[in-house]
Amino acid sequence: TAGRAETVLMNGAPIMDKDGLLSIDEDSPSLVNIYNRLTSAKEAMDYSKYAIARRAKDLRAQDKENLVTPEEIEIGLALENQKFKAMFEDYQVYNRKLLDFLESSGVISKLERENLGKYDYVPFYREMREDRYDKKTGIEMKDTLGPRISRVLNNPNPYIEKYTGGTLPIGDIIDNTVRNTQAFLRAAVNNHAMQESVKLFKEAGIGKEIKQNQRGKDTYYVTYREEGKKKYYDVENPLIYTSLASMSPQQTRGLFGLMESLGKVFRDFITHQPAFMVANLIRGEVSGLVSVDAPVTPVVDSVKGFVATLKNDEVVREMKLNAGVGGFSFGDDISDVGKKLRRDRRLKNRDYRIIDTPLAVSDAVSKLWSGLTKTGEASELAFRHAVYKKLLETENPRTGELYSK
């Protein structure tokens, strides 16, 4: 989901139509634009205190906050200025549009959407803990307050948990809002995918709807939501169930986590080499010409796609949003996104003509590396861009309509 998350974070909250096609709400602010208004680490810290105070004030009124004291709330609210107020209000617009997105996907009901949108909100995720895995299904769950969203399709809890307060330190506000976006995206898209899967099962005469009390050891059921209500479907086939329920993410713990980190270093150094990018471009074109039935002009359309990807044009954004491809420049983890936003802020607001500190050196190297990553992504998506664009413009011989319809 990297490319999908990148597109939303940079452009605004998503919209899902009845067919599951995603687009960006043109009236929505984006998280990147909101946080790019901050000009220093101190200002970012002050905004964090202010945002936490705004949220904690509402929670205190509901007796749901156990960590932020009335004195801290008062200090945070005293930091209010026009910029902070505008940033916070823009985030409320963005968050409410995310809730609209969840409602359209069936994850929450209309009433739940209305209740969740009543109050000032920023996500209060406490300290990040390791993922835990449900023993029965092997499905990854988040052991923190907030959305419990796994990466697998058959997620039994694509839902928002009620806030109960806590005494653990609140995580970084930027990281929290990024995590919130990614969790909501995953919940909505996974839920819609399961809805569509169940429709196919019904059309094919596979399985049947069951009630909660009909679940048992001998049932191979999947779960999804419609208008916020949990539904159960017994696919009656262990192989079909496994294909939906066991696509668990890699468990990056201990030695495995170390091995993955080392593998990432080697992989990045290989994929960032110009020779690899050229080979990637050629490989993508040759493979695509053989396997894809689209009126693409060899080489010419790939070059156009390469340039368009570097510019991140509308076609690339739509492709990333709906297919989840790309998104490499934001890193592998939620914390990577936060680091990039903070690094971009420093690069934007500091004079780096003189590299005089370790942090400045690190930022300069990261900027160069990010440029190589973006170029590598363009080589990866060049031919795909050409195919995607041509298919949108091409008539489907079976229906006589454009593929885009």
Side-chain angles (χ1 to χ4, degrees):
T1 58
R4 185 175 293 121
E6 177 196 90
T7 305
V8 170
L9 293 170
M10 292 182 65
N11 298 281
I15 300 172
M16 179 183 288
D17 68 14
K18 60 182 178 61
D19 296 319
L21 188 68
L22 302 184
S23 59
I24 294 296
D25 190 326
E26 295 182 358
D27 296 324
S28 170
S30 76
L31 273 186
V32 170
N33 287 337
I34 291 172
Y35 290 129
N36 274 350
R37 301 176 206 175
L38 299 170
T39 59
S40 67
K42 182 183 182 305
E43 190 176 44
M45 180 64 71
D46 286 346
Y47 173 73
S48 180
K49 292 177 181 178
Y50 169 73
I52 289 172
R54 285 279 299 262
R55 169 69 166 149
K57 181 182 178 183
D58 270 352
L59 292 173
R60 276 280 174 186
Q62 303 171 56
D63 294 323
K64 289 184 178 180
E65 178 53 40
N66 304 321
L67 176 67
V68 185
T69 66
E71 292 76 19
E72 289 171 326
I73 293 174
E74 186 177 347
I75 292 171
L77 293 177
L79 296 169
E80 181 174 274
N81 54 44
Q82 283 302 114
K83 179 192 283 189
F84 286 0
K85 187 175 180 180
M87 287 176 63
F88 190 88
E89 294 304 323
D90 280 350
Y91 180 75
Q92 301 314 303
V93 173
Y94 173 80
N95 182 67
R96 290 185 183 111
K97 289 185 178 294
L98 280 181
L99 293 175
D100 291 338
F101 175 62
L102 282 182
E103 182 189 347
S104 66
S105 71
V107 173
I108 60 176
S109 66
K110 183 177 181 179
L111 179 60
E112 288 171 321
R113 158 65 186 87
E114 291 173 355
N115 289 335
L116 289 166
K118 284 181 180 178
Y119 306 101
D120 287 342
Y121 176 79
V122 287
F124 271 18
Y125 298 147
R126 307 293 172 168
E127 66 175 11
M128 297 297 180
R129 299 175 184 172
E130 286 190 348
D131 298 339
R132 63 183 176 84
Y133 290 78
D134 184 276
K135 292 182 180 179
K136 292 183 178 179
T137 63
I139 292 175
E140 175 201 36
M141 305 297 291
K142 296 294 183 184
D143 195 17
T144 54
L145 293 175
R148 288 189 168 208
I149 309 300
S150 78
R151 292 181 177 85
V152 298
L153 184 59
N154 182 34
N155 177 12
N157 290 288
Y159 204 52
I160 304 173
E161 294 200 333
K162 293 181 179 179
Y163 186 84
T164 57
T167 58
L168 297 172
I170 296 169
D172 180 87
I173 287 297
I174 293 178
D175 290 345
N176 284 357
T177 50
V178 169
R179 178 175 175 229
N180 213 50
T181 296
Q182 292 179 327
F184 283 11
L185 264 173
R186 189 171 292 130
V189 173
N190 282 5
N191 194 62
H192 179 78
M194 186 56 77
Q195 289 173 345
E196 293 300 307
S197 297
V198 169
K199 286 180 184 178
L200 287 175
F201 296 150
K202 290 179 178 179
E203 289 176 9
I206 297 172
K208 61 180 183 294
E209 292 270 8
I210 61 174
K211 295 181 180 180
Q212 185 174 0
N213 60 8
Q214 294 177 304
R215 298 176 301 162
K217 293 182 179 179
D218 298 326
T219 56
Y220 297 96
Y221 69 91
V222 294
T223 60
Y224 61 101
R225 290 181 182 271
E226 286 184 352
E227 297 182 353
K229 295 182 180 179
K230 206 168 191 178
K231 303 281 187 176
Y232 305 92
Y233 196 87
D234 184 1
V235 297
E236 300 178 335
N237 185 313
L239 297 179
I240 293 178
Y241 175 80
T242 300
S243 70
L244 295 172
S246 64
M247 297 188 296
S248 299
Q250 295 174 328
Q251 300 184 32
T252 53
R253 298 178 180 176
L255 181 59
F256 190 92
L258 176 62
M259 292 168 63
E260 186 185 60
S261 299
L262 289 173
K264 181 181 184 302
V265 171
F266 286 110
R267 182 174 65 251
D268 284 354
F269 271 99
I270 292 171
T271 57
H272 284 62
Q273 291 184 46
F276 180 89
M277 295 179 194
V278 173
N280 205 30
L281 194 62
I282 296 172
R283 181 170 56 249
E285 174 142 351
V286 172
S287 175
L289 289 172
V290 172
S291 60
V292 180
D293 184 18
V296 177
T297 304
V299 182
V300 174
D301 285 337
S302 285
V303 171
K304 290 179 180 178
F306 183 84
V307 175
T309 305
L310 287 176
K311 293 180 179 179
N312 199 36
D313 73 350
E314 184 179 355
V315 174
V316 170
R317 294 197 298 271
E318 183 178 321
M319 189 166 64
K320 287 182 176 180
L321 189 61
N322 284 287
V325 296
F328 309 127
S329 61
F330 266 10
D332 298 327
D333 189 67
I334 294 164
S335 61
D336 293 334
V337 180
K339 290 175 184 176
K340 185 180 188 305
L341 292 176
R342 286 184 280 272
R343 182 173 65 248
D344 288 348
R345 182 192 68 227
R346 293 193 297 269
L347 289 167
K348 180 181 178 182
N349 296 291
R350 282 194 56 182
D351 184 354
Y352 276 110
R353 285 177 293 181
I354 300 177
I355 308 297
D356 57 352
T357 66
L359 184 60
V361 172
S362 173
D363 284 348
V365 171
S366 295
K367 183 179 181 180
L368 175 62
W369 195 254
S370 180
L372 288 171
T373 301
K374 189 174 181 180
T375 305
E377 180 178 279
S379 72
E380 179 82 17
L381 301 182
F383 190 80
R384 301 182 197 186
H385 177 282
V387 170
Y388 191 92
K389 186 175 182 181
K390 288 293 182 179
L391 287 178
L392 290 176
E393 300 168 349
T394 302
E395 186 177 277
N396 187 327
R398 289 172 295 179
T399 64
E401 295 184 340
L402 294 178
Y403 278 99
S404 57
K405 294 183 179 180

